Amino acid sequence: MNIYLSTFLFGEHFFIFCKKAGYDTMLRTLGGNLIEFIGNLDALHSFLALSYQEMNAPSFRVEMTDDGKMLLHYYSDRKGLHHIVPGIMEAVAREFFDSKVTMVVLNQSEEDERTGKKEHIVFLVNQVPTSPDLDQPPELILESLLAAVGPTVAIWVCLIYVLDTFTPCYPEKLWMDEMAFCIAFPFHVIFDKDLKIRQTGVNIQKFVPGLQAKDATLDQHFTITHPQVTFTIKSIRKFINSQFVLKSHKQSRLKLRGDPQGRFRNTQPTDSAQSSVLVLSAGQMLWMDSLGCMLYLCSPKLRSLRELQDVGLHLADLAQHDVTRDLVLLNQQRLAEMELTNQLEKKKEELRILSQHLEAEKQKTETLLYAMLPRHIANQLKDGKSVEAGEFEVCTILFSDVVTFTNICASCEPIAVVHMLNSMYSKFDQLTSVHDVYKVETIGDAYMVVGGVPVPTQTHAHRVANFALGMRIAAREVTNPVTGEPIQIRVGLHTGPVLAGVVGLKMPRYCLFGDTVNTASRMESHGLPDHIHLSATTHSELKGGGFTFQQRGQIEVKGKGHMTTYFLLRNLLASEESIMGSKDGQSSLYRERCHDHNDSVLTESS
């Protein structure tokens, strides 16, 4: 019971979903009553199947018994879904036809009226109008009105109904000869209860040879592909409201799709000009009792001008009143719009991929730019802004060079020198990230860094001093290509003010200017191999921070006169591993502590 209720409710919700999805108007126009609505469902499903190729819709057929009962025949490839049907039909009757429907399953079997094994469910449908149905016989209308509104109003309503009733007028004779009919409807077939072909249109005769033969039957030249019924007049009449699709066996030149009242829907291309098939499709076959024959009108099943050419047809081969002409042209326009949309989507995807590649190249360019210039300086240049030079009150500058570098260059191949410098500079570059100092430039064997520029920091001297200790350790891992021994470097440090700015238009560089730069260079050139040479100002900045020194005393410095200098030995508060960046938490090497407004004291943490 719960399963039945769930599937019943699902049927109602499915109908509501179809209405909200934009099919409301289409569903309302399927028929003026429930019987017509159900009779046109198969035609609607066939139309939708043109857009939804994987669609596998069920089939419906209404049968009226001699005692006036309505039977709904439901066919489906999928078993167990017939419980959804009552929910759908009840919602349709309530929303569109102002009536209430109850349905009971009379029989459930594998049907034998259709080809293939399909689930066949027969429902007994009881429809009760919730308001008077003017399509009913007058006596039933009057009975309903008497119960609802009383005798006076009921009589007036019935008079209006009778006066408004339409009665068609038929001519005494058909004012059209046989030749004119066959030309006006070039794709039609009339066959009797034995399927014997009595009459055909001129174009069907042309494209399906043999139809003119005496005693030719329809099943000799065609098979029914939809609905899947046995090819007998009894089965066809049972499904007369269905859209019939007939396909020729062989030797036809094109595919056709039509309806017994004269319209075709679309076409499919033939496999080849020699083995193509003719497809006839119908919305409803028309049974003529007086002649005991079935009339079936059709048109070529075509969807585009390309298919029209493939089957060897021209628009002139179609009757001028046939909507297939308009369908082909309209669908051709739709195909052109779809092709344009596909091209736009393809171009959109190409642009998206190009945008991704451009973004990747942009990242590479920015990475290279940030390696050459400070990030905030590079961003200003990218934005087209001018970068003004800035004054820094205090910073620490480091210079280094390789001992006996001139002799090394003279004694070995240039490529060996390049490998040696590349190995050394790669290690130094890694240390700049560890200690957060800025690499200014390299010239030959000279390597220059600065702490406190371009981003001021109170620990500038400590960062550069630890970087210098790391340089000395890293240099011992680089081999002299001449002697095979570890290379030796000289390092010099000085602290003081500088002026910094960007110079040049091509390959702009961030350069430092001032006496502090010259003094730092002198500290390096007047230093000793494998020693870190400090000026007195740098020594003052580092004193009390855990570093150990050796006083060198006063020396004569070119251009500076006598200066008291020092050698940096080690940092007692930092291990060799932490200086080289081989342990986590490098930021703990530098902890800034601000005291009063007069000064700031730099301390080291272990």
Side-chain angles (χ1 to χ4, degrees), residues 513-525:
F513 305 94
D515 186 65
T516 302
V517 179
N518 297 329
T519 304
S521 177
R522 293 289 183 267
M523 290 297 102
E524 176 268 321
S525 62

Side-chain angles (χ1 to χ4, degrees), residues 152-171:
T152 303
V153 177
I155 292 174
W156 278 107
V157 172
C158 287
L159 286 175
I160 295 173
Y161 167 77
V162 171
L163 292 176
D164 192 48
T165 301
F166 169 74
T167 302
C169 178
Y170 299 102

Side-chain angles (χ1 to χ4, degrees), residues 268-298:
Q268 295 178 356
T270 58
D271 296 330
S272 66
Q274 292 75 22
S275 60
S276 58
V277 295
L278 173 69
V279 177
L280 309 174
S281 173
Q284 180 182 358
M285 289 199 173
L286 180 62
W287 176 253
M288 300 178 289
D289 282 320
S290 60
L291 299 178
C293 292
M294 186 77 73
L295 171 62
Y296 178 54
L297 298 177
C298 53

Side-chain angles (χ1 to χ4, degrees), residues 82-218:
H82 64 276
H83 297 298
I84 300 174
V85 177
I88 296 176
M89 293 304 167
E90 181 173 308
V92 170
R94 181 179 64 251
E95 294 290 330
F96 293 165
F97 306 114
D98 198 19
S99 60
K100 184 178 181 181
V101 165
T102 57
M103 299 176 63
V104 179
V105 177
L106 292 183
N107 186 33
Q108 181 175 356
S109 63
E110 289 187 355
E111 53 81 32
D112 54 1
E113 297 168 337
R114 298 163 59 103
T115 58
K117 292 184 178 180
K118 308 283 185 178
E119 184 179 46
H120 180 198
I121 309 296
V122 181
F123 293 95
L124 173 62
V125 182
N126 181 27
Q127 183 180 13
V128 179
T130 55
S131 61
D133 184 3
L134 298 182
D135 290 334
Q136 294 181 358
E139 59 272 14
L140 296 180
I141 298 175
L142 180 59
E143 182 179 345
S144 300
L145 289 173
L146 286 173
V149 297
T152 303
V153 177
I155 292 174
W156 278 107
V157 172
C158 287
L159 286 175
I160 295 173
Y161 167 77
V162 171
L163 292 176
D164 192 48
T165 301
F166 169 74
T167 302
C169 178
Y170 299 102
E172 295 180 359
K173 58 175 289 187
L174 184 63
W175 290 89
M176 176 181 286
D177 59 34
E178 292 82 356
M179 182 180 296
F181 186 89
C182 291
I183 295 175
F185 302 98
F187 298 96
H188 80 274
V189 181
I190 296 178
F191 56 96
D192 60 18
K193 59 183 179 63
D194 297 321
L195 303 181
K196 184 177 180 180
I197 298 174
R198 297 296 185 178
Q199 180 177 309
T200 58
V202 292
N203 281 349
I204 289 185
Q205 298 175 28
K206 179 167 58 175
F207 291 109
V208 185
L211 290 181
Q212 311 97 313
K214 186 178 180 180
D215 297 330
T217 60
L218 195 63

Side-chain angles (χ1 to χ4, degrees), residues 402-403 405 408 416-429 431 470-489 530 580:
V402 178
V403 178
F405 180 71
I408 294 174
V417 178
V418 172
H419 288 324
M420 179 194 73
L421 293 178
N422 182 62
S423 176
M424 181 179 67
Y425 288 163
S426 297
K427 297 178 185 298
F428 292 173
D429 290 344
L431 288 172
M471 291 179 72
R472 191 169 59 181
I473 297 172
R476 294 168 184 166
E477 300 175 359
V478 180
T479 303
N480 186 323
V482 177
T483 64
E485 300 292 330
I487 65 171
Q488 289 185 323
I489 61 173
D530 202 30
M580 296 302 295

Side-chain angles (χ1 to χ4, degrees), residues 208-270:
V208 185
L211 290 181
Q212 311 97 313
K214 186 178 180 180
D215 297 330
T217 60
L218 195 63
D219 58 347
Q220 288 177 346
H221 297 277
F222 295 94
T223 57
I224 300 176
T225 61
H226 182 82
Q228 295 178 346
V229 299
T230 55
F231 211 145
T232 63
I233 199 68
K234 179 180 178 181
S235 297
I236 293 174
R237 292 190 65 180
K238 282 187 177 182
F239 292 87
I240 198 169
N241 290 327
S242 299
Q243 184 184 48
F244 277 78
V245 177
L246 273 65
K247 182 172 67 174
S248 66
H249 292 160
K250 58 182 178 179
Q251 294 182 349
S252 60
R253 295 174 55 191
L254 75 163
K255 291 188 176 183
L256 301 173
R257 174 190 178 89
D259 75 41
Q261 297 178 346
R263 288 194 293 267
F264 259 88
R265 307 299 181 215
N266 68 0
T267 195
Q268 295 178 356
T270 58

